Amino acid sequence: EWFFGGSTMIGTSQRDDHTIPSVVARLAEQDGILIRPVNFGVESFNNYQETLAFAGALANEDRPDLVVFYDGANDVATAVERVQVGRIDPGDVYYQAVSQEEAAERTKAGSAPNLDEQARDDLVIELGAAQYRRGVEIARWLAKGAGVPIVHMWQPSVASAPPPEVARPLIGHLGLTDDGLEQVRTLFSGIRDRSGTDPVDLSSALAGVDEPTFFDFEHTNELGARVIATAMYEQLHDELEALDR
């Protein structure tokens, strides 16, 4: 089974046995389903970049039994950045800068459109949804051609569901107000919904956990990864069970 995503799929600051793919494999084994997870996560990758990686893997590796994409945070960040630097043609494909220095250079060289906050957010959603849709549609077309089941999942962030009180210190540290959280939540849900691709929505997977799960805006600790992986496995169980027969 192949897992694609950004740093949240890699498992930044998590031990190898505690990343999302590792936990999914362990849960499957407990149910008597044996899988071999391959983690294709890459730092800062958005869905479109992952789709290109998927195409390359299909061309060079033995085909997997199942492909899982896990996205959201980098797709939102990509859309926000491209508005900041003035890359606002919906037909373009954009990859977010991999460092603050590169982002600063792009911003300096670009020209952000003169928009009020609502219009800017609407543009972010339009651009993010268009690129995400394109990536998902290409990935599904590739998977269909290869005869491989594919599942796209939309990830949680500290802003994607009403945060528990235990998250308040982190939210304060990040400088996020309640209005700021709501704004980011609107960007996440807007891009997801306007894409029209209907990914499996894991946005609220961490909402009921009464221990800290995030250590920054989108990266989780090992507890957070375990809870997310459990929710992911619940969605994948029937497909994995059918493949194992």
Side-chain angles (χ1 to χ4, degrees), residues 124-142:
V124 167
I125 290 171
E126 176 189 355
L127 296 173
Q131 181 162 309
Y132 181 74
R133 182 189 311 114
R134 193 178 311 167
V136 171
E137 289 177 347
I138 292 172
R140 289 174 175 170
W141 177 80
L142 289 168

Side-chain angles (χ1 to χ4, degrees), residues 13 25 62 84-85 127 138 144-145 147 158 199 212 230 234:
S13 297
D62 292 336
Q84 291 173 339
V85 303
L127 296 173
I138 292 172
K144 183 178 180 180
V158 76
T230 300
E234 290 174 356

Side-chain angles (χ1 to χ4, degrees), residues 96-168:
Q96 65 175 321
V98 297
S99 67
Q100 292 182 344
E101 292 76 17
E102 183 180 3
E105 289 176 3
R106 291 185 184 183
T107 301
K108 184 177 180 180
S111 179
N114 184 20
L115 301 170
D116 62 35
E117 185 173 83
Q118 183 61 60
R120 185 176 65 247
D121 287 353
D122 287 345
L123 182 57
V124 167
I125 290 171
E126 176 189 355
L127 296 173
Q131 181 162 309
Y132 181 74
R133 182 189 311 114
R134 193 178 311 167
V136 171
E137 289 177 347
I138 292 172
R140 289 174 175 170
W141 177 80
L142 289 168
K144 183 178 180 180
V148 177
I150 187 170
V151 181
H152 286 84
M153 298 198 173
W154 193 258
Q155 71 188 98
S157 76
V158 76
S160 62
E165 284 305 308
V166 71
R168 285 295 171 184

Side-chain angles (χ1 to χ4, degrees), residues 2-60:
W2 291 354
F3 292 81
F4 290 88
S7 54
T8 53
M9 181 60 83
I10 296 172
T12 298
S13 297
Q14 298 163 9
R15 293 169 290 178
D16 287 347
D17 287 345
H18 296 266
T19 63
I20 289 172
S22 295
V23 176
V24 169
R26 194 153 54 248
L27 291 170
E29 184 177 12
Q30 291 172 6
D31 286 341
I33 304 169
L34 298 181
I35 69 173
R36 185 174 71 88
V38 181
N39 192 338
F40 283 92
V42 178
E43 184 85 25
S44 296
F45 264 26
N46 59 43
N47 172 267
Y48 196 90
Q49 291 167 290
E50 296 156 22
T51 298
L52 296 180
F54 174 43
L58 278 177
N60 294 290

Side-chain angles (χ1 to χ4, degrees), residues 164-188:
E165 284 305 308
V166 71
R168 285 295 171 184
L170 172 62
I171 290 169
H173 176 73
L174 295 173
L176 291 168
T177 64
D178 286 344
D179 287 344
L181 287 171
E182 181 58 32
Q183 181 182 26
V184 176
R185 194 176 299 132
T186 298
L187 296 180
F188 267 76

